[in-house]
Amino acid sequence: MLEPITVANEACALATASPVQSLEAAAPTAAQVKLAYDRVLGFCLGLHRFSFSLSTRQLSRLVEPPSTGWKYAFTLPADRIGAPIALTDDATDPRRYCVDFLLEGAEVHADAEALWARIRIIPHPRLWSGTFRQAFTMGLAADLALTVKRDKTLRQQLASEAYGDPRLNGRGGMLLAAILDDSQSTASLANPAAERDPLTGAWSC
């Protein structure tokens, strides 16, 4: 089974850095690799809504009503990446989107009695696509080439392979291949109302 340490050491090899025994070890190099792993993974997952990183969660409702005028306050999952992609008050209907709510820090305020959120999470490597694994490994290697080996030339070379031209803001190279691969395997939204980003109307369900 593919584990984070396997991916990390593949990146270490590309960056000409020594392998680590564990990402949780207290050794300085292991700590650097762990920080780079988390940082680069968050960056890569933040560039696209990869299907393997999506999860629907029921939100926990707080006992006390919020002071913002809405009836209820809900807490967002702590393991999410960024803001929720969408909210619904009926998880059995994938086309039903709630657009009357307020995002307030790590909370959602709304009048609905129950809410579910579609969020991005950090998925285990065994769930990644092959193209994403390749892109992430190369991106991590680029980071390690600079932070561990202090090799700017190698860092630039690896980053170019991972992300393409810098003007593409990370959405080129191998990562673009991963994005296109995921987009082709993900069903499109048939409901035009679902195409809009409900968070653009976060203050107005």
Side-chain angles (χ1 to χ4, degrees):
M1 182 182 295
L2 183 64
E3 296 293 334
I5 187 63
T6 305
V7 179
N9 280 329
E10 288 177 351
C12 285
L14 289 170
T16 69
S18 300
V20 294
Q21 296 300 314
S22 170
L23 292 178
E24 308 304 326
T29 300
Q32 284 183 300
V33 174
K34 178 65 165 62
L35 285 173
Y37 185 100
D38 292 343
R39 179 173 59 249
V40 176
L41 185 54
F43 171 75
C44 290
L45 291 174
L47 292 176
H48 176 71
R49 294 173 182 173
F50 289 99
S51 56
F52 51 80
S53 72
L54 300 181
S55 178
T56 300
R57 306 276 186 84
Q58 183 171 9
L59 303 184
S60 297
R61 195 174 77 190
L62 301 176
V63 175
E64 296 295 327
S67 60
T68 53
W70 300 88
K71 292 182 180 179
Y72 306 106
F74 303 82
T75 56
L76 289 166
D79 61 341
R80 74 192 185 284
I81 300 175
I85 296 171
L87 295 170
T88 180
D89 57 1
D90 184 359
T92 65
D93 185 355
R95 301 183 186 279
R96 180 179 175 85
Y97 284 73
C98 177
V99 294
D100 282 342
F101 61 88
L102 173 70
L103 287 177
E104 187 82 2
E107 297 179 0
V108 177
H109 300 175
D111 290 337
E113 294 185 357
L115 281 179
W116 287 258
R118 187 73 164 159
I119 60 172
R120 282 183 290 189
I121 61 172
I122 299 292
H124 193 280
R126 65 175 178 272
L127 300 177
W128 300 352
S129 66
T131 50
F132 180 84
R133 175 185 175 183
Q134 185 74 6
F136 168 72
T137 303
M138 192 66 67
L140 177 57
D143 193 292
L144 296 177
L146 183 62
T147 58
V148 175
K149 300 297 292 183
R150 299 291 191 268
D151 189 332
K152 294 183 179 180
T153 301
L154 180 57
R155 189 269 176 192
Q156 185 175 9
Q157 174 190 334
L158 295 172
S160 179
E161 293 187 45
Y163 308 122
D165 192 309
R167 291 173 295 183
L168 298 175
N169 298 317
R171 293 180 173 87
M174 292 180 176
L175 196 58
L176 175 59
I179 291 172
L180 294 176
D181 177 57
D182 188 73
S183 298
Q184 291 174 355
S185 63
T186 304
S188 61
L189 294 172
N191 186 351
E195 295 285 357
R196 67 182 291 270
D197 182 357
L199 297 182
T200 59
W203 55 86
S204 77
C205 215

